[in-house]
């Protein structure tokens, strides 16, 4: 929680009049406030938070998705090309070894 929010909460709590002072009164109010306010602002799960941010910024989410898809396609293509080169090298070595025998 930010320091500014704590100061604001303390100011609000100081304005509340209590007939019988309780040592845990401010703590209970603060816990209730955290339970209600913070759940509205931020989701509890990381994946839910990512989905909420994606919904708020659709262009950025689309750009990130396109970069990820393009990167995975290029990486897959590189791996396939690499495997083909390895097979050609193995074929060349096997032909060389057969011709020397």
């Amino acid at each position: 929680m930010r320091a500014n929010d704590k100061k604001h909460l303390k100011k609000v709590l100081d304005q509340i009049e209590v007939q019988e002072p309780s040592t845990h009164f401010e703590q209970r109010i603060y816990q209730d406030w955290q339970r209600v306010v913070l759940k509205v602002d931020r989701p509890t799960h990381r994946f839910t938070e990512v989905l909420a941010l994606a919904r708020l910024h659709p262009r950025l989410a689309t750009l990130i998705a396109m970069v990820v898809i393009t990167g995975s396609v290029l990486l897959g293509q590189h791996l396939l090309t690499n495997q083909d080169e390895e097979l050609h090298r193995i074929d060349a070595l096997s032909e060389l070894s057969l011709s020397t025998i």
Side-chain angles (χ1 to χ4, degrees):
M1 173 174 235
R2 290 178 267 157
N4 192 20
D5 291 340
K6 288 182 181 180
K7 289 178 185 177
H8 181 69
L9 178 63
K10 179 127 176 75
K11 186 186 295 183
V12 169
L13 291 176
D14 288 341
Q15 292 175 356
I16 298 174
E17 292 184 22
V18 181
Q19 292 176 354
E20 294 180 22
S22 171
T23 57
H24 301 289
F25 176 73
E26 288 184 3
Q27 184 65 27
R28 282 185 287 149
I29 295 289
Y30 177 71
Q31 287 173 349
D32 289 343
W33 180 77
Q34 271 188 327
R35 191 170 37 247
V36 172
V37 174
L38 292 182
K39 281 189 179 179
V40 171
D41 287 345
R42 298 184 182 176
T44 55
H45 302 291
R46 293 283 181 202
F47 187 68
T48 308
E49 188 173 341
V50 168
L51 291 177
L53 286 173
R55 193 177 327 135
L56 288 175
H57 306 287
R59 287 184 179 173
L60 183 62
T62 305
L63 176 67
I64 291 173
M66 288 174 55
V67 167
V68 167
I69 290 170
T70 305
S72 63
V73 166
L74 291 175
L75 182 62
Q77 188 177 18
H78 175 70
L79 290 175
L80 288 175
T81 305
N82 225 6
Q83 285 178 348
D84 287 343
E85 288 176 6
E86 284 293 319
L87 288 175
H88 288 298
R89 286 183 191 151
I90 291 172
D91 285 343
L93 286 175
S94 63
E95 287 179 16
L96 182 65
S97 62
L98 286 176
S99 65
T100 57
I101 295 177

